[in-house]
PDB file of all heavy atoms in Angstrom:
ATOM      1  N   GLN A  45      11.795  -2.595   2.410  1.00 98.00           N
ATOM      2  CA  GLN A  45      11.946  -3.305   1.146  1.00 98.00           C
ATOM      3  C   GLN A  45      12.782  -4.553   1.391  1.00 98.00           C
ATOM      4  O   GLN A  45      13.984  -4.464   1.642  1.00 98.00           O
ATOM      5  CB  GLN A  45      12.605  -2.409   0.092  1.00 98.00           C
ATOM      6  CG  GLN A  45      12.679  -3.008  -1.289  1.00 98.00           C
ATOM      7  CD  GLN A  45      13.117  -1.989  -2.331  1.00 98.00           C
ATOM      8  OE1 GLN A  45      13.931  -1.110  -2.062  1.00 98.00           O
ATOM      9  NE2 GLN A  45      12.567  -2.092  -3.547  1.00 98.00           N
ATOM     10  N   TYR A  58       1.721  10.783  12.785  1.00 94.00           N
ATOM     11  CA  TYR A  58       1.233  12.089  12.376  1.00 94.00           C
ATOM     12  C   TYR A  58       1.684  13.159  13.355  1.00 94.00           C
ATOM     13  O   TYR A  58       2.028  12.869  14.503  1.00 94.00           O
ATOM     14  CB  TYR A  58      -0.283  12.064  12.247  1.00 94.00           C
ATOM     15  CG  TYR A  58      -0.754  11.271  11.034  1.00 94.00           C
ATOM     16  CD1 TYR A  58      -1.238   9.971  11.171  1.00 94.00           C
ATOM     17  CD2 TYR A  58      -0.693  11.816   9.759  1.00 94.00           C
ATOM     18  CE1 TYR A  58      -1.660   9.237  10.070  1.00 94.00           C
ATOM     19  CE2 TYR A  58      -1.099  11.088   8.649  1.00 94.00           C
ATOM     20  CZ  TYR A  58      -1.577   9.801   8.817  1.00 94.00           C
ATOM     21  OH  TYR A  58      -1.972   9.082   7.714  1.00 94.00           O
ATOM     22  N   ASP A 107       0.757  19.322  -0.416  1.00 91.00           N
ATOM     23  CA  ASP A 107       0.840  20.424  -1.374  1.00 91.00           C
ATOM     24  C   ASP A 107      -0.565  20.844  -1.743  1.00 91.00           C
ATOM     25  O   ASP A 107      -1.396  20.006  -2.097  1.00 91.00           O
ATOM     26  CB  ASP A 107       1.608  20.005  -2.625  1.00 91.00           C
ATOM     27  CG  ASP A 107       1.794  21.168  -3.579  1.00 91.00           C
ATOM     28  OD1 ASP A 107       2.216  22.246  -3.111  1.00 91.00           O
ATOM     29  OD2 ASP A 107       1.509  21.008  -4.776  1.00 91.00           O
ATOM     30  N   PHE A 118       4.982  10.489  -0.132  1.00 97.00           N
ATOM     31  CA  PHE A 118       6.267  10.640   0.549  1.00 97.00           C
ATOM     32  C   PHE A 118       7.219  11.417  -0.348  1.00 97.00           C
ATOM     33  O   PHE A 118       7.606  10.948  -1.409  1.00 97.00           O
ATOM     34  CB  PHE A 118       6.841   9.263   0.905  1.00 97.00           C
ATOM     35  CG  PHE A 118       5.852   8.413   1.660  1.00 97.00           C
ATOM     36  CD1 PHE A 118       5.277   7.299   1.078  1.00 97.00           C
ATOM     37  CD2 PHE A 118       5.483   8.746   2.949  1.00 97.00           C
ATOM     38  CE1 PHE A 118       4.348   6.526   1.759  1.00 97.00           C
ATOM     39  CE2 PHE A 118       4.543   7.987   3.647  1.00 97.00           C
ATOM     40  CZ  PHE A 118       3.985   6.879   3.049  1.00 97.00           C
TER      41      PHE A 118
ATOM     42  N   GLN B  67      12.914   4.222  -8.540  1.00 98.00           N
ATOM     43  CA  GLN B  67      14.021   3.698  -7.731  1.00 98.00           C
ATOM     44  C   GLN B  67      15.118   3.217  -8.661  1.00 98.00           C
ATOM     45  O   GLN B  67      15.004   2.164  -9.290  1.00 98.00           O
ATOM     46  CB  GLN B  67      13.553   2.572  -6.804  1.00 98.00           C
ATOM     47  CG  GLN B  67      14.628   2.113  -5.841  1.00 98.00           C
ATOM     48  CD  GLN B  67      14.141   1.092  -4.836  1.00 98.00           C
ATOM     49  OE1 GLN B  67      13.272   0.286  -5.122  1.00 98.00           O
ATOM     50  NE2 GLN B  67      14.706   1.121  -3.628  1.00 98.00           N
ATOM     51  N   TYR B  78       3.167  13.244  -7.958  1.00 96.00           N
ATOM     52  CA  TYR B  78       2.248  13.215  -6.823  1.00 96.00           C
ATOM     53  C   TYR B  78       0.904  13.763  -7.237  1.00 96.00           C
ATOM     54  O   TYR B  78       0.814  14.541  -8.192  1.00 96.00           O
ATOM     55  CB  TYR B  78       2.819  13.973  -5.611  1.00 96.00           C
ATOM     56  CG  TYR B  78       2.898  15.468  -5.787  1.00 96.00           C
ATOM     57  CD1 TYR B  78       1.885  16.297  -5.321  1.00 96.00           C
ATOM     58  CD2 TYR B  78       4.001  16.057  -6.424  1.00 96.00           C
ATOM     59  CE1 TYR B  78       1.956  17.667  -5.484  1.00 96.00           C
ATOM     60  CE2 TYR B  78       4.075  17.420  -6.585  1.00 96.00           C
ATOM     61  CZ  TYR B  78       3.050  18.227  -6.109  1.00 96.00           C
ATOM     62  OH  TYR B  78       3.130  19.586  -6.276  1.00 96.00           O
ATOM     63  N   TYR B 128      -1.352   3.093   3.724  1.00 95.00           N
ATOM     64  CA  TYR B 128      -0.601   3.459   2.542  1.00 95.00           C
ATOM     65  C   TYR B 128      -0.281   2.169   1.796  1.00 95.00           C
ATOM     66  O   TYR B 128       0.231   1.232   2.375  1.00 95.00           O
ATOM     67  CB  TYR B 128       0.684   4.180   2.935  1.00 95.00           C
ATOM     68  CG  TYR B 128       0.445   5.482   3.650  1.00 95.00           C
ATOM     69  CD1 TYR B 128       0.195   5.520   5.022  1.00 95.00           C
ATOM     70  CD2 TYR B 128       0.450   6.687   2.950  1.00 95.00           C
ATOM     71  CE1 TYR B 128      -0.036   6.715   5.670  1.00 95.00           C
ATOM     72  CE2 TYR B 128       0.232   7.890   3.606  1.00 95.00           C
ATOM     73  CZ  TYR B 128      -0.020   7.899   4.958  1.00 95.00           C
ATOM     74  OH  TYR B 128      -0.257   9.080   5.601  1.00 95.00           O
TER      75      TYR B 128
END
Side-chain angles (χ1 to χ4, degrees):
Chain A
Q45 186 170 35
Y58 288 101
D107 184 48
F118 308 110
Chain B
Q67 187 175 32
Y78 69 95
Y128 297 83

